[in-house]
Amino acid sequence: MFYSERKIRKMSVSGKAKKAALIIQETQEQLCCGKIINSSYIKNILSIIEKEISAEWQELFISSLSRIPETLTTENIRDLSNLRHIILASIGKEPADWDMSNSLLQSLDGAARKEREVLPINVYLDDLRSPFNVGSIFRTAESFCYENIFLSQHTPSPVHKRAERSSMGAVELVKWSRTSIEDLPQPIFALETGSLSVADFAFPESGTVIIGSEESGISSAAINAVKKSLGFVSIPLYGIKGSLNVGIAFGILSFCWVNKLKFEKF
C-alpha cells in the first residue's frame, strides 16, 4: 500500500488523484479484514492532492476529510469511500461498477455465511449477449438458492472478466455448465412478456426456467420445448417502456418462485 509521498508529488494531477484513490481502496480492503490503521499516511497523501481538487468538489472534499479520525476502523469505510469517489469525480472519471472493490462489496454483502442452501431449481440462459447480465444472474441465482445455471453455446462465459465482476464471487458458488435445451431438468418454463402473470403461475417444486436473449428473446427451440411443458410466465409491467433488464426480471421471478417454495404449500 505504501507509495512514496515524494514520488506522488511529482505526478500529474490525474496521476495523483488515481494513486490517492488506489491507496484509499487498498486501505478499505484492509479495514474489511479487521485491521486497525493509523490514518497519518493517508492524510498526508490527501493533503498533497487537496489543492488539485476542482472547485466543484473542493468543499465536499475538505468536509469529508475532516471526518477521518487518527485511527481507522471498519466504521470509517463509508467516509473513505466518499473521499475516493470525490477524488475520481474531480478529474472527470465517471463511476462504474468495475471501479468498486470486489472484496469490500463481498464483505458488506455478508458473503461469508453458513453453508449454501440449494433448492432443486435451475435456470437456462438462452443466448444472452451481455457478460454483465450473466454475472448479475449468477449473483441472483446464488441468493435464491438455485442448484444449477445452464448456458447455451452462445451465452458469454461466466469467467469473462465483466461477468466475474458483476457476479461478486457467485460464479464460484453456483454450479454451471453448457448444455442443450433437451437435457434440461424438467419441467421447464420460460420468462416471456405477454403471458401468465407470476402472481397466477403455478411454479413447480423443481425444474428449470429459461431466460432469453436481451435482443431477441427466447429461441424457437426453447419456445417449442416449453409449449410441451409448463409454458410461459410473465411479469406485469405498467410503464411506457414495457420491458425490464433481463437480470432484474430474473430477480423478480426468482423471488416469486422461491417465496412459493419456502412459504406456500403446493
Side-chain angles (χ1 to χ4, degrees):
M1 186 188 76
F2 183 81
Y3 300 92
S4 165
E5 294 176 31
R6 181 179 178 183
K7 185 175 181 180
I8 291 175
R9 288 181 188 276
K10 294 180 179 180
M11 293 179 177
S12 64
V13 173
S14 177
K16 289 177 184 177
K18 290 178 181 178
K19 190 62 70 175
L22 178 61
I23 291 170
I24 291 174
Q25 181 170 315
E26 291 176 346
T27 302
Q28 289 176 283
E29 291 173 352
Q30 290 190 43
L31 293 174
C32 282
C33 296
K35 292 186 178 181
I36 298 175
I37 300 172
N38 186 291
S39 67
S40 58
Y41 170 69
I42 290 177
K43 285 186 172 182
N44 288 342
I45 297 300
L46 294 177
S47 67
I48 292 173
I49 69 166
E50 183 175 334
K51 293 181 180 180
E52 313 284 7
I53 300 296
S54 64
E56 178 186 1
W57 296 98
Q58 184 72 222
E59 184 177 347
L60 189 55
F61 176 83
I62 294 172
S63 173
S64 298
L65 181 58
S66 69
R67 291 195 290 272
I68 302 300
E70 294 301 317
T71 301
L72 298 171
T73 67
T74 53
E75 294 182 358
N76 306 118
I77 288 175
R78 179 179 288 274
D79 288 330
L80 287 172
S81 181
N82 288 339
L83 272 168
R84 182 161 62 92
H85 289 287
I86 289 170
I87 291 168
L88 293 175
S90 178
I91 60 171
K93 186 169 178 18
E94 295 292 332
D97 288 341
W98 45 90
D99 289 328
M100 291 187 276
S101 166
N102 235 344
S103 59
L104 177 60
L105 285 169
Q106 289 181 32
S107 175
L108 295 179
D109 274 353
R113 292 196 180 119
K114 60 184 180 180
E115 185 177 350
R116 181 173 180 263
E117 180 183 0
V118 174
L119 295 172
I121 59 175
N122 312 277
V123 58
Y124 177 73
L125 308 187
D126 188 22
D127 294 352
L128 264 68
R129 300 304 181 192
S130 166
F132 181 89
N133 284 336
V134 171
S136 173
I137 286 172
F138 264 81
R139 188 176 181 183
T140 298
E142 194 285 319
S143 296
F144 286 104
C145 308
Y146 279 74
E147 184 174 10
N148 296 287
I149 297 179
F150 300 109
L151 288 76
S152 71
Q153 292 302 312
H154 297 293
T155 295
S157 170
V159 298
H160 185 288
K161 185 176 180 180
R162 292 281 300 276
E164 284 190 323
R165 190 68 174 168
S166 58
S167 82
M168 292 297 155
V171 170
E172 299 175 3
L173 298 174
V174 186
K175 293 187 294 183
W176 65 273
S177 62
R178 294 195 184 275
T179 190
S180 64
I181 293 172
E182 293 76 19
D183 294 327
L184 294 176
Q186 298 289 321
I188 62 175
F189 62 99
L191 178 61
E192 190 60 280
T193 57
S195 49
L196 191 63
S197 168
V198 289
D200 303 316
F201 186 75
F203 286 97
E205 294 186 51
S206 63
T208 305
V209 60
I210 298 177
I211 306 295
S213 163
E214 304 93 332
E215 296 177 315
S216 53
I218 64 173
S219 63
S220 57
I223 291 173
N224 293 333
V226 299
K227 282 182 177 179
K228 299 174 183 177
S229 190
L230 298 183
F232 306 89
V233 62
S234 181
I235 298 169
L237 301 174
Y238 309 102
I240 295 174
K241 288 289 291 181
S243 65
L244 289 172
N245 170 272
V246 65
I248 293 174
F250 175 66
I252 295 171
L253 176 135
S254 297
F255 172 80
C256 294
W257 194 358
V258 173
N259 186 59
K260 288 195 174 183
L261 283 176
K262 281 183 164 291
F263 303 113
E264 296 184 17
K265 294 183 179 179
F266 287 89

